[in-house]
Amino acid sequence: RSVIAVYRPAEGIPYAGTAFAGYLGLLSGMNTESISISAIQVPNGHSHAPGLSGPILARQVLAQTKTLPAAVTNIDQSKRSG
């Protein structure tokens, strides 16, 4: 089942996103600072490499960034798997 998850942390940036029930990451979403993201997984042979998956990184970006430059920096500096 698909769900829309709404996060209202006691501290930090509220955000909402789409996912599957029980899924830790987000497929797409938007935070209250108008940062939007979509995680598209494309197999590249490195799916077992250590690092963040696209959906987990999408959730991190929404939870931690207030500006587009900060979001791009967050993505560029994150160690990613797959």
Side-chain angles (χ1 to χ4, degrees):
R1 296 232 172 229
S2 297
V3 297
I4 297 174
V6 178
Y7 299 91
R8 295 184 184 119
E11 295 182 20
I13 304 166
Y15 60 98
T18 60
F20 298 110
Y23 197 64
L24 296 177
L26 294 175
L27 301 173
S28 63
M30 183 177 201
N31 70 17
T32 57
E33 303 295 326
S34 298
I35 299 296
S36 299
I37 194 166
S38 178
I40 299 174
Q41 295 287 101
V42 178
N44 65 5
H46 300 289
S47 61
H48 299 292
L52 296 175
S53 66
I56 298 294
L57 180 57
R59 186 173 173 177
Q60 174 181 295
V61 167
L62 293 178
Q64 297 178 356
T65 58
K66 293 183 177 186
T67 66
L68 182 57
V72 170
T73 298
N74 190 323
I75 293 167
D76 284 344
Q77 293 180 353
S78 293
K79 187 172 184 179
R80 291 177 277 174
S81 67

